[in-house]
């Protein structure tokens, strides 16, 4: 491969030479090496930062022209300087607000100072088929930041471990590379600080702060949706870090393309690296999570109780742990034998909440009607103008997806339609979801509203 | 605290420190100036947490004490006072009464304790420079400091102490200015530091033509002690790019230019440099330079300058603003322009160790 790159570089040099003076070529390009070439980008290795800096400032047009001459089309040009990367020179942490200018507090930066919970480590993460990929990707990123998947985008529902994985990455890197600058924050904090910086005319500081990170972890990135200037600022931060070969990890409750009001250039960048989904755990994983948690907390419960909890609480790991805590504290406080009836009584509210997730067709109809601003009666009526028929079809589709009702039952619930109509509606909605992003977004929005 | 002072002295004292005052409102104390009256002096201190300045003025102090007052407001009040005599009195609640002629002002301050102290320098490297030399060096380089916030290491001036020389360097990627100042210091003091733009600007205001400045370099911070005034600043952390790589090693042609005449010509011609390309062209021929600029659909300008030039005929284009900046900063009558070809950087030199590298612009024709 290396030889291949050398040849490409020769070809490129030949195109470049007539454009710059011989002295310039010798001075700036003789030490440059092509280390990576893809269909749309080229990465050059330069001996140190002055090369990148000077070439970018003065010779980038010449280089780009040469690229077009040599390869027929422009490509994105990146530089990697030999002194880059986490292993070597790490930019020191920006001094704090005290005027004293002493740096002692910057050096021994503990995980807690970053707002990372030491309990959220890779060791304490229970891996199941639902989160295998996300876990493996996170571990890979933590072991060699910016080398594997950049950016890493983790998404999944509430309480499925997004934050856990992100914090685990942060702590792993923080531990392995003492002087790496790890930044963990929520997108909300990012936005607030940005607003604050605008307000106080402090953008320089703000930028420096984020653009010096070696590892930037941003939780709940979906909140950037609709915040245009924050998005723009984040876009530039993203590019700076990415071009500087710094790792970026993002989390969200939905995939990038479904975050409402997020600029396309951000969406495409988020999808650039690896997108990993966290799904709700299956019953075995839930059981494993309970046992692990019980073990770390020193709780002893009967297998029967574990199983009861694992089968009854399905959607959310946080809730699962909460239930475990409640059961355990009841057991230790009352000393009573824990039968399933006792547990059931104890967790009445949680279980009810869980049960609510058994969505009824009526709820679906109501929700969809509300969303599309049609009358509930229209869901069952015979009228079929497009503005009513399509919401009705969506409701049928959701009923099919979210309830256990048969096609016939659904048809009955929608004003005595036959099963063929329902089947057609499902197919139609599925197809239109594939074709049109906004429909998919709307449906997933209604879906998540129903599941809440 | 109570003192009497002339309006001029007070104003002069405030002028020295007030530029540093922070404009951000998160910490109200930072928009205040700290006043400390003791003996026959009143000390003034301001800081924005990055840069801090401490100055003083002589006054007839009747009662020692200290307080902090809003700096900008205080300055505008003092400037407008009707009489030359000013009576200044601060009560226990940090309310200052200012009397002058028929005027009376009362302004409310904040307690002294809230004011962040300037840092201490314990294990600092100390060197002494003649104020005139440093001022001269700053003037010749500071205009080339980058304002591009993404390359933060360039948002300051490099102070490189090496081989009994202080080298000052500023660059923004398209030009580079460098000055050497001869200086005696022990080998152990050799260091490269980056002083932020704001500190450089303030320092230029404070330096005079007489006396020495004592520079203390601590870890992450620097102090400039100019007899009566002290300027303290944080340093920019990071490695300054290896600027020597930028400086061309050889020159093919050298032109001697009369600085003032050349500058005036550039200024006139640049009036018609287009906003878009913003370039002027220098066309060299035997014993002559034609300086030209043209903007499509607007017009063009041309000026001829007789010079001693014996090299080949060629044209090179530069950003006029970048060319004029060093010419304005220099005081010499003659400057030398070294050139290689139309695609290589031009270098401006003078008799003393100074160097200005300027990248040419592409000539589109």
């Amino acid at each position: 491969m290396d030889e291949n790159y050398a040849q490409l570089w020769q070809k490129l040099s030949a195109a470049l030479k007539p454009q710059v003076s011989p002295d310039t070529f010798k001075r700036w390009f003789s030490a440059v090496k092509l280390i990576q070439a893809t269909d749309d980008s080229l990465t050059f290795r330069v001996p140190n930062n002055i090369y990148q800096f000077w070439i970018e400032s003065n010779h980038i047009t010449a280089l780009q022209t040469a690229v077009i001459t040599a390869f027929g089309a422009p490509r994105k040009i990146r530089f990697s300087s030999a002194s880059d990367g986490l292993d070597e020179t790490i930019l020191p942490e920006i001094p704090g607000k005290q005027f004293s200018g002493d740096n002692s507090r910057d050096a021994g930066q503990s995980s807690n100072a970053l707002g990372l919970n030491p309990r959220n480590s890779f060791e304490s993460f229970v891996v199941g088929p639902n989160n295998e990929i996300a876990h493996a990707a996170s571990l890979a990123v933590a072991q060699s930041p910016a080398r594997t998947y950049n950016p890493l985008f983790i998404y999944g529902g509430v309480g499925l471990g997004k934050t856990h994985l992100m914090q685990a990455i942060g702590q792993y890197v923080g531990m392995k590379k003492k002087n790496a600058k790890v930044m963990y924050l929520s997108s909300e904090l990012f936005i607030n600080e940005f607003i604050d910086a605008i307000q106080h005319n402090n953008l320089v500081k703000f930028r420096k702060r984020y653009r010096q990170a070696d590892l930037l972890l941003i939780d709940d990135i979906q909140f950037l949706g609709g915040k245009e200037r924050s998005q723009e600022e984040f876009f530039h931060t993203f590019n700076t870090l990415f071009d500087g070969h710094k790792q970026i990890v993002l989390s969200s409750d939905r995939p990038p393309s479904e975050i409402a009001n997020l600029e396309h250039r951000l969406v495409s960048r988020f999808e650039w690296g690896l997108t990993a989904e966290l799904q709700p755990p299956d019953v075995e994983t839930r059981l494993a999570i309970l046992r692990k948690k019980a073990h770390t907390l020193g709780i002893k419960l009967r297998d029967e109780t574990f199983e009861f909890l694992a089968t009854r609480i399905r959607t959310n790991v946080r809730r699962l742990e909460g239930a475990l805590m409640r059961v355990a504290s009841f057991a230790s406080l009352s000393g009573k034998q824990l039968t399933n009836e006792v547990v059931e009584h104890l967790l009445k509210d949680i279980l009810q909440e869980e049960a609510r997730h058994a969505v009824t067709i009526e709820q679906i109809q109501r929700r969809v009607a509300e969303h599309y601003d049609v009358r509930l009666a229209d869901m069952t009526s015979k009228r079929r103008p497009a503005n009513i028929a399509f919401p009705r079809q969506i409701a049928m589709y959701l009923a099919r997806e979210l309830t256990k009702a048969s096609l016939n039952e659904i048809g009955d619930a929608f004003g005595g339609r036959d099963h063929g109509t329902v089947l057609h509606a499902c197919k139609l909605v599925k197809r239109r979801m594939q074709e049109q992003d906004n429909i998919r977004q709307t449906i997933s929005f209604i879906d998540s509203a129903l599941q809440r | 605290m109570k003192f009497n002072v002339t309006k001029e002295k007070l104003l002069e004292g405030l002028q020295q420190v007030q530029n540093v005052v922070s404009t951000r409102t998160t910490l109200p104390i930072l928009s205040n100036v700290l006043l400390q009256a003791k003996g026959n002096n009143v000390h003034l201190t301001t800081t924005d947490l990055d840069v801090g300045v401490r100055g003083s003025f002589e006054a007839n102090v009747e009662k020692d004490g200290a307080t902090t007052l809003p700096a900008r407001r205080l300055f505008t009040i003092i400037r407008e006072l009707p009489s030359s005599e000013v009576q200044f009195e601060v009560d226990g609640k940090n309310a200052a009464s200012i009397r002058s002629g028929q005027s009376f002002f009362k302004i409310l301050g904040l307690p002294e304790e809230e004011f962040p102290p300037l840092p201490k320098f314990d294990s600092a490297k100390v060197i002494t420079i003649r104020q005139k030399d440093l001022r001269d060096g700053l003037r010749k380089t500071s205009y080339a400091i980058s304002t591009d916030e993404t390359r933060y290491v360039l948002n300051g001036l490099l102070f490189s102490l090496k081989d009994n020389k202080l080298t000052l360097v500023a660059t923004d990627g398209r030009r580079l200015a460098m000055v050497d100042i001869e200086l005696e210091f022990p080998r152990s003091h050799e260091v490269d530091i980056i002083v932020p733009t704001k500190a450089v600007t303030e320092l230029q205001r404070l330096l005079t033509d007489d006396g020495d400045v004592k520079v203390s370099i601590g870890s992450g911070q620097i102090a400039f002690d100019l007899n009566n005034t002290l300027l303290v600043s944080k340093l920019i952390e990071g490695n300054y790019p290896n600027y020597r790589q930028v400086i061309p090693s050889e020159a093919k042609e050298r032109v001697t230019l009369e600085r003032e005449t050349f500058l005036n010509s550039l200024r006139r011609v640049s009036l018609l440099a287009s906003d878009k390309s913003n370039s002027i062209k220098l066309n060299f021929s035997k014993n002559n330079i034609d300086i030209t600029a043209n903007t499509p659909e607007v017009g063009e300008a041309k000026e001829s300058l007789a010079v001693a030039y014996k090299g080949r005929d060629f044209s090179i284009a530069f950003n006029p603003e970048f060319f004029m900046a060093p010419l304005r900063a220099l005081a010499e009558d003659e400057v030398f322009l070294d050139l290689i070809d139309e695609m290589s950087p031009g270098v401006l030199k003078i008799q003393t160790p100074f160097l200005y590298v300027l990248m040419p612009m592409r000539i589109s024709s």
Side-chain angles (χ1 to χ4, degrees), chain B residues 1-6 35-43 57-66 86 88:
Chain B
M1 180 165 90
K2 192 174 176 186
F3 61 86
N4 298 319
V5 67
T6 63
L35 295 102
Q36 292 163 307
K38 204 177 176 194
N40 289 323
N41 280 305
V42 178
H43 287 278
F57 58 86
E58 273 178 35
N60 178 12
V61 178
E62 289 177 19
K63 203 172 144 203
D64 290 359
V86 183
F88 212 101

Short mmCIF file of all heavy atoms in Angstrom, two decimals, chain B residues 1-6 35-43 57-66 86 88:
data_model
loop_
_atom_site.label_atom_id
_atom_site.label_comp_id
_atom_site.label_asym_id
_atom_site.label_seq_id
_atom_site.Cartn_x
_atom_site.Cartn_y
_atom_site.Cartn_z
N MET B 1 -10.24 55.99 53.83
CA MET B 1 -9.24 56.46 52.89
C MET B 1 -9.56 57.88 52.46
O MET B 1 -10.70 58.23 52.20
CB MET B 1 -9.25 55.55 51.65
CG MET B 1 -8.23 55.96 50.60
SD MET B 1 -7.96 54.67 49.39
CE MET B 1 -9.18 55.10 48.18
N LYS B 2 -8.54 58.73 52.45
CA LYS B 2 -8.75 60.13 52.07
C LYS B 2 -7.48 60.69 51.47
O LYS B 2 -6.39 60.49 52.02
CB LYS B 2 -9.14 60.93 53.32
CG LYS B 2 -9.66 62.31 53.00
CD LYS B 2 -10.15 62.99 54.27
CE LYS B 2 -10.58 64.42 53.96
NZ LYS B 2 -10.94 65.17 55.15
N PHE B 3 -7.57 61.32 50.32
CA PHE B 3 -6.38 61.96 49.76
C PHE B 3 -6.76 63.13 48.86
O PHE B 3 -7.88 63.22 48.36
CB PHE B 3 -5.49 60.96 49.01
CG PHE B 3 -6.15 60.29 47.84
CD1 PHE B 3 -6.15 60.91 46.59
CD2 PHE B 3 -6.74 59.04 47.95
CE1 PHE B 3 -6.74 60.29 45.49
CE2 PHE B 3 -7.33 58.42 46.87
CZ PHE B 3 -7.33 59.05 45.64
N ASN B 4 -5.77 64.05 48.67
CA ASN B 4 -5.93 65.16 47.74
C ASN B 4 -4.92 64.98 46.62
O ASN B 4 -3.78 64.58 46.87
CB ASN B 4 -5.65 66.49 48.43
CG ASN B 4 -6.63 66.73 49.54
OD1 ASN B 4 -7.83 66.45 49.39
ND2 ASN B 4 -6.14 67.20 50.67
N VAL B 5 -5.34 65.30 45.41
CA VAL B 5 -4.44 65.08 44.28
C VAL B 5 -4.84 66.03 43.16
O VAL B 5 -5.97 66.54 43.15
CB VAL B 5 -4.50 63.60 43.82
CG1 VAL B 5 -5.85 63.27 43.23
CG2 VAL B 5 -3.39 63.28 42.85
N THR B 6 -3.93 66.26 42.24
CA THR B 6 -4.32 67.08 41.09
C THR B 6 -5.03 66.18 40.09
O THR B 6 -4.76 64.98 39.98
CB THR B 6 -3.11 67.72 40.39
OG1 THR B 6 -2.29 66.68 39.88
CG2 THR B 6 -2.31 68.59 41.35
N LEU B 35 -7.93 50.80 44.35
CA LEU B 35 -7.16 51.96 44.80
C LEU B 35 -6.62 51.68 46.20
O LEU B 35 -7.39 51.30 47.09
CB LEU B 35 -8.03 53.21 44.85
CG LEU B 35 -8.59 53.76 43.55
CD1 LEU B 35 -10.04 53.37 43.40
CD2 LEU B 35 -8.43 55.27 43.51
N GLN B 36 -5.32 51.84 46.38
CA GLN B 36 -4.73 51.62 47.70
C GLN B 36 -3.89 52.84 48.06
O GLN B 36 -2.87 53.10 47.43
CB GLN B 36 -3.85 50.37 47.69
CG GLN B 36 -4.65 49.08 47.50
CD GLN B 36 -3.77 47.92 47.09
OE1 GLN B 36 -3.03 48.04 46.11
NE2 GLN B 36 -3.83 46.83 47.83
N ALA B 37 -4.31 53.58 49.07
CA ALA B 37 -3.59 54.78 49.47
C ALA B 37 -2.68 54.46 50.65
O ALA B 37 -3.12 53.85 51.63
CB ALA B 37 -4.57 55.87 49.84
N LYS B 38 -1.42 54.82 50.50
CA LYS B 38 -0.47 54.56 51.58
C LYS B 38 0.71 55.52 51.44
O LYS B 38 1.21 55.69 50.33
CB LYS B 38 0.00 53.11 51.53
CG LYS B 38 0.48 52.61 52.87
CD LYS B 38 0.89 51.16 52.82
CE LYS B 38 1.46 50.76 54.17
NZ LYS B 38 2.16 49.50 54.12
N GLY B 39 1.14 56.11 52.54
CA GLY B 39 2.27 57.05 52.49
C GLY B 39 1.94 58.21 51.58
O GLY B 39 0.91 58.86 51.74
N ASN B 40 2.80 58.42 50.59
CA ASN B 40 2.54 59.52 49.67
C ASN B 40 2.05 59.05 48.32
O ASN B 40 2.09 59.78 47.34
CB ASN B 40 3.83 60.34 49.48
CG ASN B 40 4.16 61.13 50.73
OD1 ASN B 40 3.25 61.62 51.41
ND2 ASN B 40 5.43 61.20 51.05
N ASN B 41 1.64 57.81 48.26
CA ASN B 41 1.26 57.23 46.98
C ASN B 41 -0.12 56.59 47.02
O ASN B 41 -0.55 56.09 48.06
CB ASN B 41 2.26 56.15 46.57
CG ASN B 41 3.50 56.78 45.98
OD1 ASN B 41 3.42 57.56 45.04
ND2 ASN B 41 4.65 56.46 46.56
N VAL B 42 -0.75 56.59 45.87
CA VAL B 42 -1.96 55.79 45.70
C VAL B 42 -1.67 54.79 44.59
O VAL B 42 -1.26 55.17 43.50
CB VAL B 42 -3.18 56.65 45.34
CG1 VAL B 42 -4.40 55.77 45.14
CG2 VAL B 42 -3.44 57.69 46.41
N HIS B 43 -1.82 53.52 44.89
CA HIS B 43 -1.61 52.48 43.89
C HIS B 43 -2.92 52.13 43.21
O HIS B 43 -3.96 52.06 43.85
CB HIS B 43 -1.02 51.21 44.54
CG HIS B 43 0.40 51.37 44.92
ND1 HIS B 43 1.42 51.22 44.03
CD2 HIS B 43 0.97 51.70 46.11
CE1 HIS B 43 2.57 51.44 44.63
NE2 HIS B 43 2.34 51.72 45.90
N PHE B 57 0.25 56.87 41.57
CA PHE B 57 0.49 58.30 41.41
C PHE B 57 0.73 58.90 42.79
O PHE B 57 0.29 58.35 43.81
CB PHE B 57 -0.69 58.98 40.69
CG PHE B 57 -2.02 58.83 41.37
CD1 PHE B 57 -2.41 59.71 42.37
CD2 PHE B 57 -2.88 57.79 41.00
CE1 PHE B 57 -3.64 59.58 42.98
CE2 PHE B 57 -4.11 57.64 41.62
CZ PHE B 57 -4.49 58.53 42.63
N GLU B 58 1.42 60.04 42.81
CA GLU B 58 1.71 60.71 44.07
C GLU B 58 0.47 61.48 44.51
O GLU B 58 -0.22 62.06 43.69
CB GLU B 58 2.86 61.69 43.87
CG GLU B 58 4.22 61.07 44.06
CD GLU B 58 5.31 62.09 43.81
OE1 GLU B 58 5.11 63.28 44.14
OE2 GLU B 58 6.33 61.70 43.25
N ALA B 59 0.24 61.48 45.81
CA ALA B 59 -0.91 62.21 46.31
C ALA B 59 -0.65 62.62 47.75
O ALA B 59 0.22 62.05 48.42
CB ALA B 59 -2.18 61.36 46.23
N ASN B 60 -1.38 63.57 48.20
CA ASN B 60 -1.30 63.99 49.59
C ASN B 60 -2.30 63.14 50.39
O ASN B 60 -3.46 63.47 50.50
CB ASN B 60 -1.64 65.49 49.66
CG ASN B 60 -1.62 65.99 51.08
OD1 ASN B 60 -1.15 65.30 51.99
ND2 ASN B 60 -2.18 67.18 51.27
N VAL B 61 -1.80 62.03 50.91
CA VAL B 61 -2.70 61.07 51.56
C VAL B 61 -2.93 61.48 53.01
O VAL B 61 -1.99 61.60 53.79
CB VAL B 61 -2.13 59.65 51.50
CG1 VAL B 61 -3.05 58.67 52.21
CG2 VAL B 61 -1.91 59.22 50.07
N GLU B 62 -4.19 61.71 53.36
CA GLU B 62 -4.49 62.08 54.74
C GLU B 62 -4.85 60.86 55.57
O GLU B 62 -4.64 60.84 56.77
CB GLU B 62 -5.65 63.09 54.77
CG GLU B 62 -5.24 64.44 54.24
CD GLU B 62 -6.41 65.42 54.20
OE1 GLU B 62 -7.41 65.17 54.90
OE2 GLU B 62 -6.30 66.41 53.46
N LYS B 63 -5.41 59.86 54.91
CA LYS B 63 -5.79 58.66 55.65
C LYS B 63 -5.58 57.45 54.72
O LYS B 63 -6.09 57.43 53.60
CB LYS B 63 -7.26 58.75 56.06
CG LYS B 63 -7.62 57.89 57.25
CD LYS B 63 -9.04 58.21 57.69
CE LYS B 63 -9.72 56.94 58.17
NZ LYS B 63 -11.16 57.07 58.08
N ASP B 64 -4.80 56.47 55.19
CA ASP B 64 -4.57 55.27 54.38
C ASP B 64 -5.86 54.48 54.20
O ASP B 64 -6.79 54.63 54.98
CB ASP B 64 -3.53 54.36 55.05
CG ASP B 64 -2.14 54.98 55.00
OD1 ASP B 64 -2.02 56.09 54.44
OD2 ASP B 64 -1.20 54.36 55.52
N GLY B 65 -5.87 53.59 53.24
CA GLY B 65 -7.04 52.74 53.05
C GLY B 65 -7.08 52.19 51.64
O GLY B 65 -6.20 52.47 50.83
N ALA B 66 -8.10 51.39 51.38
CA ALA B 66 -8.20 50.78 50.05
C ALA B 66 -9.66 50.53 49.70
O ALA B 66 -10.49 50.29 50.59
CB ALA B 66 -7.44 49.47 50.00
N VAL B 86 -8.48 67.86 43.34
CA VAL B 86 -9.48 66.81 43.57
C VAL B 86 -9.35 66.28 45.00
O VAL B 86 -8.26 65.94 45.44
CB VAL B 86 -9.32 65.64 42.58
CG1 VAL B 86 -10.41 64.61 42.78
CG2 VAL B 86 -9.30 66.13 41.15
N PHE B 88 -10.55 63.32 47.47
CA PHE B 88 -11.07 61.96 47.31
C PHE B 88 -11.26 61.37 48.70
O PHE B 88 -10.34 61.36 49.51
CB PHE B 88 -10.02 61.15 46.54
CG PHE B 88 -10.60 60.10 45.67
CD1 PHE B 88 -10.71 60.31 44.31
CD2 PHE B 88 -11.00 58.88 46.20
CE1 PHE B 88 -11.23 59.33 43.48
CE2 PHE B 88 -11.54 57.91 45.37
CZ PHE B 88 -11.65 58.13 44.01
#
